[in-house]
Structures are given as C-alpha cells and as structure tokens.
Amino acid sequence: MMNPVSWLIFILICAALGCIAFIVWRKWIAPWRQVEDVITQIGRGERPRTFLMEGSAPAQRIGFQLEKIVGDLERRQKQIAKRESGMQTIFSAMQDALLVVDSNRRVILTNQTFRKLFDAPEISVATPLLEIVRDPTLDRLLTDAFRGDGPVRCELTLDASQIELHAVATRNESGEITGALVLFHDITELKKVDQVRRDFVANVSHELRTPLSILRGYIETLLDSPKTPREELTRILRVMERHSDRLELLVEDLLTLAQLESGNPNLQMGTVDLSSFLPEMVRDWEKKLTRKQLNIIVDVPPDLSPIRVDRTRLQEALYNLLDNAVKYSREHGEIRLNARRREGEIELSVSDEGIGIAKDDLPRIFERFYRADKARSPDKVSGTGLGLAIVKHIAQLHGGRVEAESELDKGTTIRVVLPSAM
Ligand code: ADP
C-alpha cells in the first residue's frame, strides 16, 4: 500500500513526464509534421496555406526557405507560361505551316496552319508523323534533313496547292541531331504568276515571229529576184507594210501594257466633261465608220457632272473599245457610246451589233493575247489581243473595273466602270 506522500510523488512524476512529453511533441514532433504536410502539398502542386511552423526554430527556418523556393518556382512558372503563350501567338500568327519532329519522326510541335493544312485539328505530342501525313516527298526530305548537312528543300502538291518545304535538322547542346524542323510555304500564287510570265514571253515571241518571218521571206524574194515586175513589187511592198504596221502596233501595245503594269503608271488626273469629250472623240472616227457604213450614237445625260480621270488614258481605253466595235461589226451596223451614273459610279460603255463573243470566250477576253475565234471576224482582222487587257488596266488604275456582255451574232457591250468620287 502506498502512503499519501508516495501518491503525491507518483502524481508529480507523472505530471512532469506529461509536461516533458507535451514540450517534446510541440517543439520536436508537431513542427516536423507541419513541414511534412507543407512538402506534400508542394509535391502535389498546391500552394500551402501557410509556411509558418510553430515551435522549433530550425523548422521555422525551413518554412521560410520553403516559402522562398515556392515563390521562385511560381515566378519561373509564370515566366515559362508567358514565354509559351508568346511562342504560341507567334506560331499561330505564322502563315507558313510549322512542324517539329524528333529523330524517330514523332511530332513534337505543330502550329495551327499545319493542322489546318493537313486537316488534323488535334495532334498530341509524340504522335508518329506517318499517322498525319503519308507522303514520300516529306519522308525523303526528313531523311535528307537528318543527315545534318544544312537546310534542304523540296516541293509538294497538296490538292490544288503547290507547297514549298524547307527543313533543317535540330540539335542538342552537344551537337547531336535530335530531330528536324519543317516549314511549309504555299507557293500556288507564285507558280501561277510564273506561269503567266512564261506564257506572256511565249506569246510575245510567237506574235513577233510571224510578221518577222513574213518580212524576212519577202526580203529574200526581193534579193533573189531583183527584176521583179513593178506590179508584183507593189503587192509585196504592201504586204510588207501591213506586217510592219502590225509589228509597230504590237510593240506599241506592249509598251503601253508594260507602263500600265509598272509600279509607276504616272496618271495625269484631270477633270473631263464627258458630254463634250465623247462627241469630240467620235469625230476622229468618222472615216473608219463611213468605210463600213456604221452609225454611231453617243448618249450622255446633259446633267452628268465632270469626272476626274487621266484624259489620255481614258481616251486610249475608249479608243480600243471603239476599234473593236468597228472591227467586229458588220456593215450598216450601229455602235452606241454611253455614259451614265450608277450608284457612286460612272459607267462608260461601247455596244455594237456585231459578231458577238461565244460564252466560253467571254470570261477570257480581258486576258493578254486572248483572241476569240479569228475566222469569224468580218474582215478576218487580226488585232494584237492586247487591247482589252489595256482597257482593263486603265480601269483598274482608276480604281474601277471592266464588264462584258455579249451574245453570239447579236452584239457586244463592254463597260468601263469608274468610281465617281476620285
Ligand atoms: P484584239 O486586238 O484581237 O481585238 P482585244 O484584246 O481588243 O484584242 O480583244 C480580245 C478578243 O475579244 C478579240 O480578239 C475578239 O475575239 C474579242 N472581242 C473584243 N471586242 C469584241 C467585240 N466588240 N465584238 C466581238 N468580239 C470582240
């Protein structure tokens, strides 16, 4: 049996042990549990509510350090996100499609243009490229790029588009090839322009060659037979004159076209009163009109206010239209030269009752050198095929456009539409 004093001592010892245990728990166990919780939360990618550790000074110091580390980490993450979104903005603004693959031909990066081009709205990282594009040309290009001898290029046809591909190997810090970057540039328009240029050169050469070879042929004839009878000589000289006229016309039209298409067409804008300008212009045509007994009607509303145009260029355009109207009219036909105001526009038109233009030809008559069936023209006239291209250019230089309407064997109307406020 314990006496009361022993009980008291026992209780005091227990209380002392309890106090010690409490102090040890508060100072040495609780703070490290807190540290453990905080680290677990950081590990899960969460931001701990507090970094304040109760009790032990070392645990508190660790709390401060952890707060600093988390702060740094957050700042860095923000920087990375900002950089990433900047890169994404650049990539999505790129007109060219972009592809980065690793050396196993798995996709690392693509931009929006690439995904649109290959109709793949979502491409996850590490997708084998073959699952998106199955093209031997791209395959070969990558093989060449992986050799690491510098940038390589090739062309690819995708539906109706021509694509130029540029690829270069990507390397890590120690210089080993890690993959390749490929840029896809759409060159369809460039190719078209190039084709137009080639056609133009071919057409010019062809157009020049015909009269030149005829002239050369006759010159040889004259040299070989100096005693050609006078009558025959006159006939030959007339033919030569016709062909040299044609050559001159062609060169003139080519020069006009070249100037109109140059960056500096040098328009001399001025005020033109159509109600006096058009009748004046028609007066120069009397001879040609009477030769074919053509009747011309000029129709300009008297209240039509003057327009601002380059007078000489406008005259040139209407001259070409009248020239066609006369050329493609039958004898005793009628030609109308109209001017009228449309909504915010001025429309000038030349109509005839001539041979007309076939439906298939109509959309192409403003192309350079395009000529509809020559055999159908009344005088078997051969123009240069540049007249309407010149008209179109003049209209466009004034901010306007051209329109054509025609029915075979009934007649043709060509309109030059100009903005009225210039
Ligand atoms: P061209 O010098 O051959 O007349 P253009 O460029 O002026 O060249 O015209 C292109 C083609 O459009 C002509 O060859 C002709 O076939 C057709 N064309 C133009 N105007 C008329 C018209 N008023 N009537 C019939 N055909 C026309």
Side-chain angles (χ1 to χ4, degrees), residues 51 118 126 188 210-211 238 246 281-282 306 312 352 363 385 388 392 411:
F51 290 91
F118 293 100
T188 319
T210 316
R238 287 253 178 274
R246 185 169 156 61
M281 216 185 83
V282 165
T312 319
D352 64 63
L388 288 183
K392 186 175 103 178

Side-chain angles (χ1 to χ4, degrees), residues 221-274:
T221 312
L222 293 179
L223 284 175
D224 290 347
S225 29
K227 289 193 182 123
T228 312
R230 177 137 198 94
E231 252 175 51
E232 178 62 2
L233 192 66
T234 314
R235 191 194 67 80
I236 290 178
L237 288 175
R238 287 253 178 274
V239 178
M240 288 175 77
E241 186 187 26
R242 226 181 40 241
H243 284 286
S244 60
D245 282 352
R246 185 169 156 61
L247 270 181
E248 193 182 351
L249 200 71
L250 193 69
V251 171
E252 262 173 28
D253 276 359
L254 281 171
L255 285 175
T256 307
L257 205 59
Q259 214 215 333
L260 291 173
E261 285 185 350
S262 73
N264 181 21
N266 204 10
L267 287 190
Q268 309 283 326
M269 299 297 273
T271 311
V272 171
D273 183 359
L274 291 173

Side-chain angles (χ1 to χ4, degrees), residues 140-147 149-154 165-169 181-183:
R140 247 176 282 128
L141 183 80
L142 285 174
T143 311
D144 291 347
F146 288 150
R147 273 194 214 112
D149 299 333
V152 281
R153 78 167 281 288
C154 69
L165 275 64
H166 286 273
V168 65
L181 179 147
V182 190
L183 280 178

Side-chain angles (χ1 to χ4, degrees), residues 28-96:
W28 296 107
I29 299 173
W32 296 114
R33 283 246 172 98
Q34 248 181 305
V35 169
E36 191 185 354
D37 284 350
V38 164
I39 290 174
T40 315
Q41 284 179 59
I42 295 171
R44 280 204 302 261
E46 294 163 13
R47 188 177 217 285
R49 247 184 317 116
T50 176
F51 290 91
L52 262 177
M53 308 295 164
E54 287 162 8
S56 120
Q60 282 174 359
R61 279 201 298 277
I62 286 176
F64 287 138
Q65 288 306 324
L66 280 175
E67 188 170 16
K68 213 167 141 264
I69 290 168
V70 168
D72 280 352
L73 217 67
E74 282 174 346
R75 252 194 313 284
R76 256 178 227 159
Q77 267 166 355
K78 268 189 203 150
Q79 272 175 0
I80 291 170
K82 208 167 142 193
R83 218 172 292 163
E84 176 103 334
S85 89
M87 297 260 273
Q88 284 306 330
T89 313
I90 294 171
F91 289 156
S92 54
M94 275 173 73
Q95 294 298 307
D96 289 353

